[in-house]
Amino acid sequence: MPDYTDAQLENRAKNAPLLRYVDSFRMHGHRAAHVDPLNKLQREEVAALDPARYGLSSPEQEYEIDGVLWYDGAPFDPTTSSPVSSDIKWSLKKITEHLKSVYVGAIAYEFMHSPSKAERLWFAHLLESEDDATQKQRLSDANKKQIWEDLVKSEVMDNFLQDKFPNLKRYGLEGAESMIPALNTLFNVASKAGVEHVMIGMPHRGRLNLLTDLLQYPPRALFHKIKGNSELPEWLGASGDVISHLAITSALQTEHGKLTVQLLQNPSHLEAINPVALGKTRGKQYSLIHTSDSSCMLGDKAMCVQLHGDAAFTGQGIVMESLGLSNLPHYTSGGSVHLVVNNNIGYTTPGTISRSSLYCSDVAKMINAPVLHVNGDFPEEVARAMDIAFQYRNFFRKDIIVDLITYRRWGHNELDEPGFTQPLMYQEIRQRESVPKRYEQKLIASGVIDSSASSEFRKARVAYLQSELDNSTTYVPTSEWDKGQETGVARGKWTQMVWPASQSAVHNPDTGVEKDVLVNVGKASVEIPSGFTMHERLKRHTGARVKSLETGTGINWGTAEALAFGSLMLDGHDVRISGQDVGRGTFSHRHAMLVDQRTEEVIVPLNECLKGGRIELANSSLSEVAVLGFEYGMSWETPSLLPIWEAQFGDFFNGAQVIIDTFVSSSQTKWAMQSGIVMLLPHGLDGAGPEHSSMRIERMLQLTNDPFVDGKNVNVNMSIVNPTTAAQYFHLLRRQMKRNYRKPLIVAAPKGLLRSPAASSDIGEFLPGTTFQPVLADPLADPNTTRRVLLVSGKLYYELVKERATRGLEKEVAIIRLEELCPFPFAHVKATLEPYFRSGSNPTIAWVQEEAQNQGAWPHVMPRLMNTLKDEGNRMEVEYVGREASEVPAVGVGKIHAAQNAAILKEAFEMRG
């Protein structure tokens, strides 16, 4: 925005009282605006809007307004550098009338809290440059008719569902029908500006209206679902979800071109979809930038739209965490438009006691987002507010909030009785004519439509819905899926993937890589440009990496990870690893980015030296739920991306449990949505105390549908692994991309093993023909002399090996590692144990873990291991060796921790029987 000219600055100083008066309208006008249909918002007399407080007492006195007020009667042009209103004189009366028409109407503007002068000027210029009459003239009769049609379609749909399915909880839009023309306006202005993709995250309120009114979801498909049928083909074996979570991808034809709108699947947990929608938008824009010319910037072609409820927007912490991502370089998506469908109530709790702020939107001020409050009873003003919101978003590429203040004609759902708790509010609501009918009467009175045409339009819409209801009896949900190919996700880039349960799914591809490629990638991962000053301590790190590759021995965890990333990049895959400290690594083990010690210039050697895909190291804000949700959204967008979220410590996932429960573990079966998300959760009891010890393996395993017996055909929802060697980790990451389907991968990532020579691998374990091994047999054990078999998962293996050597029991005790806990490797376990059963030595079998008995893998492994032994005709019990049941993951006293460890090792090697 152009700055003030010298003449404008002089006039502002000359008319300082007038300037204060005008700024008061900009600052406080929202408090006097008529934005609440029910007048439930607390209001007071706004003394700041009285000109007398500024010494302005004569209504007829004229003032030069150049630099004080921005009016020239023409549409706003933010690129102009000339004064908008030079040589114009207005009386105080006219100034007051204009300010009231702009700031004290059905739209209330909050923008003066912005620290950006450019943004404040932008709003003032835009809002004040035209008078109210000129603004209204810009809305054609065709526009008004479209608004009316949107409102009527919504109302007819709600009435039809109420008539045909009176016991249905549909979370209708009655009272807030203006949401539909708001979104239709947004789609049109976005399309005109060149946006091609819109990602929508929204809750249940009004979802069915949006689906069937604007997004072309077949009503017959909805009625089919309402009648108790699945929205998914039977062959997928998916459980489906409730009607208020239905989704669609629609190719809309606006007057300006094609616009693809994706209404994303969402869980019932309020606002959980927000960061997922952000991540999916970022993923879409990332791929568009790759395929577009150099002028394509973030936000040009893809936009995120988030809908919210007023109580949820105020109350859910995920809103704050998601807003916190909006302007960060690795997370911005070019600005989101937020639409709060504000019913003035949350379930039965009124807004006055459900938040500590005046507006539900006040939380957005944490990022200085402007807010437009608009009265839902005025659909034309609602459309105007959305137009302004998009203009701001597109100009500044920042988030903006539209607070659509409405009411619910029914209660929280259509089966509630709201009069129990809000009798006066609902006494008023029941006397009000609907928003569509009020607007219809206005258009009839002005001659835009006639009453007979409006009646016919409603009848035609009812007839259409009745026809769709009749046809729902024969509807079969096949349009989204191609059964012949069994893809399950037959859209865009996902056509290359197959459904995980299909016959064509490749579960264990060869993930090895040629030696020369590995060596080149490894060296590239630590190569620095000439003149770059590396930290002295990192010279040892880079030297050790190069040496391990040249000798082919001692390849540690960080090197194996770099080899996996780089080799995948050479294959054309992008890699994104997100979380706190991921560039360096929480345990200073990764160093995928290097910082010049003189200039703080950052380089990513793999990006500098390799051609193909790119790696993005996204050091995140101190957020778990929003960041994991964001990465999950990225994983939904493209299967060629390896998306990783790394927690600083495994237990940090607690803050993101909602995303894990409602998306990561269940999207495949609820929505037939695949995801290749990887979660790295550092795990292991090492004396660090109750927190930061456990990534709660037991909790993750409980979220799986892993079968209890071998041979049961189950499409297991995710993989949970506890790898103990660098090569195993390498193969896991490559397997994630080399499969022809996608599943979430949860890794109990190590801490102490990152630099342990015992956990390092030789180059031969990475070469072609090698893969991840779900079970690692004991290379030293002799089945003919073995008296005891220990089964273990994770870093405790190395302590057991050391203790066994101390006791000299290599020939008598076998130690077998379960590297993959889910899907449980029945066949691999059986094949590994079989030699011990056939030897005749009759060894005892024990499961050994460092976690408490009610935690760790034991609750998951025990019944499956017992079933495996029974299949072999073996009736032996499996002993448990580990800590006793506990309410905490680990003790906080070092001596007790050490004593517990010693007791586990002692019991593990006690020979019995």
Side-chain angles (χ1 to χ4, degrees):
M1 290 295 299
D3 200 355
Y4 301 103
T5 66
D6 291 341
Q8 288 172 339
L9 289 173
E10 182 179 348
N11 190 49
R12 287 164 65 85
K14 174 184 174 182
N15 292 300
L18 179 65
L19 176 61
R20 291 176 59 210
Y21 178 52
V22 171
D23 271 348
S24 290
F25 268 92
R26 295 165 180 158
M27 177 72 75
H28 303 291
H30 65 90
R31 293 164 52 203
H34 176 51
V35 292
D36 183 1
L38 303 180
N39 290 315
K40 296 296 180 183
L41 278 175
Q42 295 178 358
R43 290 298 182 200
E44 60 185 19
E45 189 67 28
V46 184
L49 304 185
D50 181 1
R53 296 181 70 87
Y54 310 96
L56 305 173
S57 56
S58 175
E60 303 306 322
Q61 183 173 344
E62 291 191 337
Y63 299 88
E64 291 183 11
I65 64 172
D66 187 20
V68 177
L69 193 65
W70 307 104
Y71 178 83
D72 65 357
F76 169 59
D77 180 4
T79 64
T80 183
S81 59
S82 60
V84 173
S85 53
S86 64
D87 301 326
I88 297 179
K89 286 189 175 183
W90 277 8
S91 67
L92 177 61
K93 179 181 178 182
K94 186 173 182 178
I95 291 171
T96 299
E97 289 173 349
H98 184 63
L99 290 172
K100 286 184 176 180
S101 72
V102 171
Y103 293 111
V104 191
I107 307 178
Y109 304 93
E110 287 191 277
F111 61 89
M112 290 294 282
H113 57 274
S114 172
S116 167
K117 180 189 67 176
E119 292 184 33
R120 298 193 304 271
L121 277 174
W122 185 91
F123 268 105
H125 277 261
L126 173 69
L127 302 177
E128 297 165 16
S129 62
E130 298 176 327
D131 58 27
D132 192 50
T134 305
Q135 290 177 9
K136 286 181 168 52
Q137 288 172 6
R138 297 174 66 185
L139 199 63
S140 68
D141 286 353
N143 296 143
K144 296 175 183 178
K145 188 174 181 181
Q146 183 61 62
I147 291 173
W148 167 74
E149 288 183 357
D150 291 340
L151 295 171
V152 170
K153 286 180 182 179
S154 179
E155 182 173 51
V156 170
M157 184 64 180
D158 277 327
N159 291 342
F160 187 85
L161 288 173
Q162 185 66 31
D163 180 47
K164 302 298 181 180
F165 305 99
N167 296 318
L168 176 70
K169 294 180 181 179
R170 53 188 166 80
Y171 302 102
L173 203 53
E174 294 106 317
E177 291 94 344
S178 290
M179 182 192 89
I180 300 298
L183 291 172
N184 206 0
T185 299
L186 181 61
F187 295 161
N188 277 294
V189 295
S191 179
K192 183 178 180 181
V195 173
E196 297 175 357
H197 299 271
V198 172
M199 311 291 177
I200 302 180
M202 75 173 294
H204 45 276
R205 181 78 54 200
R207 192 179 189 93
L208 304 186
N209 308 71
L210 176 59
L211 278 167
T212 57
D213 291 353
L214 295 184
L215 301 186
Q216 303 169 359
Y217 192 90
R220 66 184 66 183
L222 174 61
F223 299 143
H224 172 86
K225 174 67 177 176
I226 291 173
K227 291 177 180 178
N229 301 301
S230 177
E231 70 276 26
L232 303 171
E234 290 184 11
W235 64 267
L236 283 172
S239 66
D241 205 350
V242 297
I243 61 169
S244 53
H245 298 170
L246 292 174
I248 192 173
T249 297
S250 297
L252 305 183
Q253 189 62 46
T254 74
E255 57 185 284
H256 307 289
K258 180 182 174 182
L259 181 71
T260 300
V261 180
Q262 295 186 51
L263 176 60
L264 303 183
Q265 293 88 345
N266 74 298
S268 286
H269 201 289
L270 298 173
E271 307 291 337
I273 188 62
N274 297 356
V276 179
L278 286 171
K280 197 168 191 307
T281 308
R282 169 85 174 196
K284 174 65 70 177
Q285 294 178 335
Y286 191 77
S287 61
L288 286 171
I289 287 174
H290 276 308
T291 58
S292 303
D293 61 45
S294 59
S295 65
C296 181
M297 304 295 289
L298 279 173
D300 281 357
K301 295 186 177 182
M303 177 175 67
C304 182
V305 177
Q306 297 175 47
L307 278 75
H308 316 270
D310 51 308
F313 197 67
T314 295
Q316 296 292 302
I318 194 171
V319 173
M320 181 276 290
E321 291 193 29
S322 298
L323 288 170
L325 298 179
S326 61
N327 296 325
L328 300 181
H330 291 289
Y331 299 90
T332 181
S333 57
S336 296
V337 175
H338 299 261
L339 179 62
V340 181
V341 181
N342 186 343
N343 306 131
N344 277 311
I345 195 170
Y347 212 143
T348 63
T349 304
T352 52
I353 60 172
S354 69
R355 60 178 183 262
S356 297
S357 57
L358 174 61
Y359 298 117
C360 67
S361 56
D362 284 345
V363 65
K365 291 178 181 176
M366 63 169 277
I367 59 168
N368 299 307
V371 181
L372 280 59
H373 308 277
V374 58
N375 191 325
D377 269 4
F378 297 86
E380 293 177 12
E381 297 298 289
V382 172
R384 162 116 174 118
M386 292 302 286
D387 186 356
I388 293 172
F390 177 77
Q391 289 186 57
Y392 170 87
R393 176 266 177 198
N394 220 39
F395 192 75
F396 292 102
R397 299 299 161 93
K398 291 183 176 181
D399 288 30
I400 184 169
I401 318 298
V402 175
D403 179 20
L404 176 61
I405 304 177
T406 64
Y407 56 89
R408 293 192 312 232
R409 185 160 290 278
W410 309 103
H412 179 67
N413 61 65
E414 290 72 24
L415 305 185
D416 275 350
E417 173 44 68
F420 290 151
T421 50
Q422 277 78 36
L424 297 182
M425 174 188 283
Y426 277 88
Q427 181 179 343
E428 180 179 349
I429 288 173
R430 285 163 180 159
Q431 295 173 356
R432 294 174 66 90
E433 196 160 31
S434 72
V435 174
K437 289 179 180 175
R438 286 161 60 106
Y439 188 62
E440 182 174 280
Q441 291 168 5
K442 175 184 175 181
L443 295 193
I444 291 174
S446 62
V448 175
I449 60 174
D450 60 63
S451 57
S452 61
S454 66
S455 178
E456 289 302 315
F457 183 82
R458 288 175 180 273
K459 289 178 182 178
R461 191 65 185 175
V462 171
Y464 165 70
L465 294 176
Q466 183 61 54
S467 173
E468 289 288 288
L469 179 60
D470 296 340
N471 289 325
S472 66
T473 57
T474 58
Y475 173 79
V476 178
T478 57
S479 60
E480 295 287 327
W481 292 271
D482 182 339
K483 187 173 182 179
Q485 295 181 10
E486 292 190 329
T487 63
V489 277
R491 286 187 181 273
K493 294 164 256 181
W494 284 90
T495 54
Q496 303 301 315
M497 297 290 106
V498 303
W499 185 240
S502 70
Q503 294 297 316
S504 53
V506 178
H507 301 294
N508 297 298
D510 183 346
T511 49
V513 177
E514 295 290 347
K515 181 178 179 179
D516 60 336
V517 175
L518 293 172
V519 172
N520 290 337
V521 166
K523 290 181 177 179
S525 70
V526 290
E527 185 174 328
I528 60 174
S530 175
F532 187 91
T533 305
M534 184 188 294
H535 195 286
E536 284 295 320
R537 290 170 59 183
L538 288 183
K539 292 179 180 179
R540 181 180 176 184
H541 159 80
T542 58
R545 176 168 296 184
V546 172
K547 182 179 178 180
S548 69
L549 292 165
E550 290 175 343
T551 62
T553 60
I555 298 173
N556 65 20
W557 211 272
T559 301
E561 182 184 73
L563 296 179
F565 290 164
S567 59
L568 287 171
M569 290 164 64
L570 289 176
D571 291 339
H573 295 286
D574 291 323
V575 178
R576 177 181 161 98
I577 179 166
S578 174
Q580 296 128 33
D581 308 313
V582 296
R584 184 200 69 172
T586 296
F587 307 101
S588 198
H589 67 285
R590 178 171 293 124
H591 297 293
M593 55 170 268
L594 300 173
V595 181
D596 190 297
Q597 296 302 295
R598 292 177 301 123
T599 65
E600 290 197 353
E601 175 194 358
V602 175
I603 64 166
V604 178
L606 285 175
N607 283 338
E608 300 288 333
C609 302
L610 298 182
K611 293 183 178 180
R614 303 281 293 174
I615 183 170
E616 184 176 10
L617 302 165
N619 283 335
S620 74
S621 63
L622 194 61
S623 159
E624 286 78 43
V625 63
V627 172
L628 177 58
F630 190 98
E631 303 311 319
Y632 188 81
M634 292 280 288
S635 77
W636 262 5
E637 177 54 32
T638 174
S640 64
L641 171 73
L642 176 62
I644 300 173
W645 178 64
E646 181 178 63
Q648 274 191 330
F649 291 92
D651 64 310
F652 276 39
F653 86 88
N654 279 320
Q657 187 72 59
V658 168
I659 300 297
I660 297 168
D661 289 351
T662 58
F663 287 99
V664 176
S665 68
S666 57
S667 288
Q668 177 183 286
T669 190
K670 288 191 298 190
W671 308 317
M673 294 290 288
Q674 297 186 48
S675 164
I677 188 72
V678 178
M679 295 172 57
L680 301 181
L681 307 176
H683 173 81
L685 277 65
D686 50 14
E691 281 77 51
H692 299 353
S693 291
S694 175
M695 53 78 72
R696 298 286 191 177
I697 292 176
E698 69 281 356
R699 195 180 297 174
M700 297 297 178
L701 290 168
Q702 190 181 41
L703 293 173
T704 72
N705 61 335
D706 203 11
F708 283 84
V709 295
D710 192 14
K712 189 174 182 182
N713 186 21
V714 174
N715 184 9
V716 178
N717 59 331
M718 55 187 182
S719 297
I720 301 174
V721 298
N722 196 355
T724 56
T725 74
Q728 286 281 79
Y729 178 52
F730 166 86
H731 288 298
L732 279 169
L733 294 176
R734 285 188 53 79
R735 184 183 77 171
Q736 194 71 354
M737 290 289 98
K738 293 308 173 184
R739 285 172 166 174
N740 57 353
Y741 61 88
R742 295 289 176 258
K743 293 267 189 180
L745 171 64
I746 304 199
V747 182
K751 294 179 281 187
L753 298 186
L754 292 171
R755 295 180 183 82
S756 170
S760 64
S761 301
D762 294 341
I763 195 74
E765 299 173 65
F766 299 82
L767 299 181
T770 59
T771 60
F772 171 74
Q773 299 299 313
V775 177
L776 291 178
D778 190 334
L780 300 180
D782 181 355
N784 296 309
T785 61
T786 296
R787 298 168 54 200
R788 188 162 175 77
V789 176
L790 304 180
L791 294 164
V792 65
S793 184
K795 75 175 181 66
L796 184 59
Y797 165 77
Y798 294 102
E799 296 176 56
L800 291 171
V801 168
K802 183 178 180 181
E803 182 70 16
R804 182 178 65 175
T806 300
R807 294 171 180 259
L809 296 174
E810 287 89 344
K811 299 299 181 183
E812 298 179 65
V813 179
I815 306 175
I816 297 170
R817 283 170 279 178
L818 263 68
E819 301 278 286
E820 186 161 45
L821 299 167
C822 175
F824 187 79
F826 288 100
H828 292 83
V829 170
K830 188 180 297 184
T832 307
L833 290 177
E834 194 172 30
Y836 299 95
F837 299 143
R838 291 184 176 178
S839 67
S841 60
N842 294 319
T844 58
I845 301 177
W847 172 263
V848 189
Q849 69 177 35
E850 59 182 354
E851 300 87 5
Q853 189 170 8
N854 59 319
Q855 300 168 23
W858 171 243
H860 185 84
V861 166
M862 185 270 291
R864 293 165 177 82
L865 186 56
M866 292 301 296
N867 286 334
T868 302
L869 296 176
K870 289 176 182 178
D871 287 345
E872 288 294 296
N874 192 305
R875 298 296 174 181
M876 295 177 61
E877 291 295 321
V878 178
E879 300 174 23
Y880 167 79
V881 177
R883 288 171 168 80
E884 295 180 354
S886 173
E887 66 276 29
V888 295
V891 297
V893 179
K895 289 183 178 180
I896 297 177
H897 169 78
Q900 289 177 342
N901 263 14
I904 291 172
L905 295 175
K906 179 176 182 295
E907 184 180 358
F909 291 97
E910 286 182 353
M911 300 298 181
R912 302 178 185 179

